[in-house]
Structures are given as C-alpha cells and as structure tokens.
C-alpha cells in the first residue's frame, strides 16, 4: 500500500451524469441561439424601417395601393396581395399532388419503383430557383399564354379570376412555378409522416374487411393529419419567401387585380428589385418595412398552424 492518500476517481455513473448535464446545456444554448437570431432580425428590420414611419402612418402604409418612390408615396397592399395569391395558388396545386405522391410511395408503389421516384423528387428540390425561373419564362409562360389561359377564359370566363387578356406573365404563372418548387418539400415530409403510422392500424383495417383505399382514407390519413398539416406549412413558408423565380414571371407591377392572368408583384420581389436602387432613407425604410410585414405574415401563419395542429391533436386524443 502506498503511504499517501490518492483521490478517488469518479465513477462511470458520475461521469455519465456530468456528460448529460454538459449535453443539456449545449442543446439549450443552441436552442437559445435560434431565438437570439430571430430577435436580431426583428430588431434590425425595425431599426431600418424607422425612417419610413417618421413620414408614413402604419395604417396608411398597410392598406395603401400607391407605389411611387419619386413622390415618396408608398403602400404595401399590392405586394401583400400578390404574395398571398401566388402562395395560395402554389399550395392549392402542390398539396394534392404531394399528398398523392406520398400515399403512392408509402402505401402502393412497388419497392423497385420507390427509389426512382424519390430520386426525382430529391432532384427537383436541388434545382436552383433561377433555373426554375428560366424554365417558367421560356416554357411555362408561353404555354399559359397560348393554351391554358385561353382555355380557362373560355370555360370559366364567367369568374372574375379567369377574365382578362392571356398575358402569360402574372399571378398564375408565379403560383404554378411556386407549386413545382414546393412540391418536393411537401411530398418528402408527407412520406416520412405516413411512415410513422403503426402497422397495426393498417393491418387492423384490412382485417376488418376494408380495401386498401378505405384503409388509407379512413385510418392512415386521419392518423397523420397533424403531420400533413406541418408539411403544408413548410411548403407555404417556402412559397411566401421565394424571390428569384417569382420575380421573373409575376410581371412586377404594383397593382391590384382580381384576374389571375394579370401581372402583379410580391413582397420578396419588390425588396430584391428596389433595395439596391433605393436612394432616400424613406425608400430604404419602406423596403425594410415590407420585409417586416413578410416576417409578420410568416409568424402569424406559423402561429395559426400550430394552434390548429394542437386542436387537432387534442381532438384525436379525446377520440382515442
């Protein structure tokens, strides 16, 4: 035995507890960094937009329709309208297709076909937005102008949204290119959500005599509603913030039109087009205020979607 007293080494359990504490602190710091970054973005936007609100009232800015940097007359409504219209079109087109793809890949597709279709979806997700814009400008816009928009005008021309000359450039073109861009995001998340459905639910429905389609419609999709809503929310967020492709095909006119054939403008597009050319502090502040409006729309939609998901989860728990 040695004459001196040696310190007792920490046991494996104590080392594990210390490691867990360090890991918990690290994860908490990383989570806090996300909130700090969001707060910094909000703070910078508010500071940059302050010169605009020294000369403009908030209410007049939000509901105004004029946009004249020379006379410093600014209204955000045409851009908010264009952003929401194109995003709704994109979500309305992409969500059913994405959900159908997800059901096909997770429930019905042969095993040899799944990797091929999945690779195609992943390829669409990796294409830069400027490439989508060029495709839309040279392929989609002429097809809309010569084929789809005249057809919609003949068949559904009694509706205001399908009236007017078929220009090709406009809300419809921007919404459709956005639909193609958000389709990979929504479909990929939907596939992963459907994979989380317990096999016992699926097998139980089939054992009770349900067909495959009845099992999908009455068991699998209701079980996955909250996750599918989250997938739609991710796609909507992508559509709201897309800039380059929309700028190339929306027409870039700050006006309000009921027809989807008409040109318009969106919040990301006007910020990208005019920020480098803004010469006055008011003009720069207004563009920062538009970014703040876009930030607020995103936060509002996220909050509403979370409330809806929470209510759906509570309803499913009560039924269970």
């Amino acid at each position: 035995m040695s004459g001196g007293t040696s310190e007792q080494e920490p046991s494996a359990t104590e080392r594990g507890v210390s490691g867990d504490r360090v890991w918990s602190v690290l994860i908490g710091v990383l989570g806090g960094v996300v909130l700090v970054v969001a707060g910094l973005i909000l703070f910078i936007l508010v500071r940059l937009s302050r010169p605009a609100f020294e000369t403009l009232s908030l209410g007049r800015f939000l509901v105004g329709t004029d946009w004249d940097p020379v006379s410093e007359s600014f209204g955000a409504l045409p851009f908010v309208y264009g952003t929401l219209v194109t995003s709704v079109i994109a979500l309305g087109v992409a969500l059913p297709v994405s959900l159908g793809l997800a059901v096909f890949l997770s429930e019905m597709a042969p095993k040899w076909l799944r990797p091929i279709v999945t690779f195609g979806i992943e390829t669409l997700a990796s294409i830069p937005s400027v490439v989508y814009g060029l495709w839309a400008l040279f392929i989609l816009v002429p097809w809309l102008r010569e084929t789809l928009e005249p057809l919609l005008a003949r068949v559904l021309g009694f509706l205001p949204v399908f009236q007017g000359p078929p220009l090709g450039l406009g809300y419809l073109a921007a919404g459709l290119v956005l639909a193609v861009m958000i389709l990979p995001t929504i479909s990929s998340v939907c596939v992963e959500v459907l994979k989380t459905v317990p096999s016992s639910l699926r097998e139980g429905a089939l054992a009770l005599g349900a067909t495959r389609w009845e099992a999908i419609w009455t068991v699998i999709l209701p079980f996955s509603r909250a996750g599918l809503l989250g997938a739609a929310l991710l796609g909507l967020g992508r559509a709201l913030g897309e800039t380059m492709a929309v700028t190339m095909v929306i027409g870039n006119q700050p006006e309000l039109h009921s027809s989807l054939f008409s040109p318009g403008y969106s919040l990301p597009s006007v910020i990208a087009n005019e920020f480098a050319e803004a010469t006055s502090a008011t003009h720069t502040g207004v563009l920062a205020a538009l970014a703040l409006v876009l930030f607020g729309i995103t936060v509002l939609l996220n909050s509403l979607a979370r409330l809806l998901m929470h209510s759906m989860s509570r309803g499913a728990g009560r039924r269970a």
Side-chain angles (χ1 to χ4, degrees):
M1 296 180 63
S2 58
T5 58
S6 59
E7 295 183 359
Q8 186 177 4
E9 295 183 359
S11 64
T13 303
E14 292 175 345
R15 290 196 299 268
V17 171
S18 300
D20 289 342
R21 290 175 180 172
V22 172
W23 179 250
S24 299
V25 172
L26 179 61
I27 294 300
V29 170
L30 293 177
V33 167
V34 175
L35 297 178
V36 170
V37 171
L40 286 175
I41 292 174
L42 181 62
F43 171 75
I44 292 173
L45 290 178
V46 171
R47 188 182 65 177
L48 289 176
S49 61
R50 186 176 299 173
F53 294 116
E54 291 177 355
T55 58
L56 298 173
S57 65
L58 179 61
R60 181 182 176 185
F61 171 70
L62 292 177
V63 302
T65 58
D66 295 332
W67 187 263
D68 187 1
V70 176
S71 61
E72 294 191 345
S73 177
F74 301 103
L77 189 58
F79 310 109
V80 175
Y81 176 79
T83 301
L84 294 178
V85 167
T86 53
S87 298
V88 168
I89 294 172
L91 194 62
V93 173
L95 185 57
V97 178
S98 301
L99 186 57
L101 271 174
V103 171
F104 175 72
L105 290 174
S106 62
E107 302 294 331
M108 305 179 69
K111 289 185 177 180
W112 63 268
L113 185 59
R114 293 176 185 176
I116 300 175
V117 179
T118 302
F119 176 77
I121 294 173
E122 293 173 351
T123 302
L124 286 177
S126 63
I127 297 176
S129 61
V130 67
V131 176
Y132 277 112
L134 289 173
W135 166 78
L137 193 61
F138 291 108
I139 303 298
L140 180 62
V141 168
W143 178 71
L144 290 176
R145 181 173 57 244
E146 299 169 5
T147 305
L148 183 60
E149 289 183 353
L151 176 62
L152 291 174
R154 286 196 303 270
V155 177
L156 301 173
F158 58 91
L159 298 174
V161 293
F162 297 122
Q163 295 177 357
L167 302 177
L169 296 173
Y171 298 118
L172 184 59
L176 291 180
V177 72
L178 281 177
V180 178
M181 296 180 70
I182 68 175
L183 188 147
T185 301
I186 300 177
S187 58
S188 298
V189 177
C190 287
V191 168
E192 298 302 321
V193 168
L194 294 178
K195 286 181 180 179
T196 64
V197 178
S199 58
S200 58
L201 292 179
R202 185 183 298 103
E203 294 168 358
L206 296 175
L208 291 173
T211 63
R212 177 178 292 184
W213 170 247
E214 289 172 341
I216 293 171
W217 185 255
T218 61
V219 176
I220 296 174
L221 292 181
F223 182 86
S224 309
R225 282 185 303 178
L228 298 178
L229 179 61
L233 176 63
L234 287 176
L236 180 60
R238 171 78 188 276
L240 288 171
E242 180 54 44
T243 305
M244 182 57 67
V246 174
T247 303
M248 297 173 71
V249 298
I250 197 172
N252 300 327
Q253 290 189 10
E255 300 173 356
L256 291 173
H257 297 283
S258 60
S259 174
L260 299 181
F261 304 160
S262 302
Y265 227 151
S266 69
L267 288 167
S269 297
V270 68
I271 295 170
N273 280 337
E274 298 191 10
F275 200 85
E277 302 175 356
T279 56
S280 66
T282 302
H283 192 185
T284 304
V286 166
L287 295 176
L290 290 178
L292 193 61
V293 171
L294 181 59
F295 186 87
I297 292 174
T298 305
V299 172
L300 178 62
L301 291 177
N302 272 309
S303 302
L304 293 176
R306 282 189 172 275
L307 288 175
L308 182 58
M309 291 172 63
H310 180 66
S311 63
M312 290 170 60
S313 300
R314 290 179 59 186
R318 292 194 188 100
R319 289 193 297 271

